[in-house]
Amino acid sequence: LAETLNRMLDRIEDSMESNRRICDSIAHELRTPLARLHADRDYLAASEPGPAERSRLIGQAVEEARRLQAVFDALLRIARIETGLHDTGVRRIDLSTLLRDAAEFYGPEAEARDQRLTAAIPDGLAIEGDPDLLFQAVSNLLDNAIKYAPVGGQVTLETRRDGARIAVTITDDGPGIAPEHRARVTERFYRAPGTVPAPGIGLGLSLVAAVARLHRAELVIHDGGRGRISLILPVARGA
């Protein structure tokens, strides 16, 4: 009984520490865009900028507001998934089509960076789950791969079925995630050193991890000195 109680207390302590880190991260993440919004508003109120400068300030304020909205939307979605409040539209999914659609959607972004995005996806892959959430998870992984791969690099989306599981693997020519940071990259707002200058809000992998848990899937970050990550999903019953 004492051992069980100690384990329970340890989990409570870990949960409280996690909540503290999340609150600190939210405050840190929101401080900068809010400060910029206040500064732009005060400048507009106290001066009479020309049309070009006024347009620039308004556009900057709109962009900061969009960033704030993106942060809150992502946090709410993750929270709803983790607490079981998300209204999942679980059904049989043609995973092959979903993955091809995701690769096609991100094709222009890869081309804009002179990257080559290739997809090796066999027909007939079927799983059970929420197609919207799974599309979002795969999109986040592709977005990260394109973001951190060098200009002119290669991004690959491939799948492989192994018995009752399907591995969706995305590989890029980027530096990957160092072993000492892998345990934390799925935490909200955590960004490994060296990745901070890249655009993003630090919630992409947190959402992927939440979607993986919801679908009884596994998120695996591979070794190898470059970006390589897999989402391993159970196949649909009877598939």
Side-chain angles (χ1 to χ4, degrees), residues 46-219:
S47 63
E48 296 182 0
E53 179 66 2
R54 185 179 183 85
S55 178
R56 184 189 70 80
L57 290 170
I58 291 174
Q60 183 171 288
V62 169
E63 186 59 33
E64 296 295 350
R66 286 176 179 166
R67 177 179 173 82
L68 288 169
Q69 184 68 55
V71 170
F72 283 115
D73 287 347
L75 285 171
L76 287 172
R77 198 167 199 185
I78 293 169
R80 291 182 66 83
I81 292 170
E82 291 183 338
T83 56
L85 296 176
H86 180 79
D87 185 17
T88 57
V90 176
R91 61 179 184 268
R92 190 181 181 92
I93 302 170
D94 182 346
L95 183 62
S96 300
T97 299
L98 185 148
L99 294 174
R100 289 183 186 124
D101 288 345
E104 183 178 356
F105 183 80
Y106 275 90
E109 186 173 339
E111 289 179 8
R113 289 176 53 83
D114 195 28
Q115 294 171 343
R116 186 163 176 255
L117 172 59
T118 60
I121 305 165
D123 295 327
L125 297 176
I127 61 172
E128 293 176 352
D130 183 316
D132 294 334
L133 289 180
L134 286 168
F135 187 88
Q136 181 68 65
V138 174
S139 295
N140 286 2
L141 295 177
L142 283 171
D143 184 70
N144 278 351
I146 293 169
K147 186 190 307 178
Y148 294 113
V151 173
Q154 171 80 35
V155 177
T156 303
L157 168 62
E158 57 186 344
T159 60
R160 181 174 60 87
R161 176 169 178 174
D162 183 11
R165 304 198 304 172
I166 298 172
V168 178
T169 303
I170 296 172
T171 307
D172 64 76
D173 294 333
I177 301 171
E180 61 269 25
H181 300 295
R182 291 176 188 170
R184 296 196 60 193
V185 291
T186 57
E187 293 180 11
R188 295 170 180 84
F189 298 114
Y190 182 80
R191 305 187 73 184
T195 66
V196 175
I201 56 177
L203 292 172
L205 286 179
S206 298
L207 180 58
V208 174
V211 173
R213 287 191 293 270
L214 181 67
H215 290 82
R216 303 184 308 281
E218 183 181 3
L219 186 64

Side-chain angles (χ1 to χ4, degrees), residues 1-7:
L1 181 60
E3 291 175 354
T4 301
L5 182 60
N6 285 336
R7 286 195 298 269

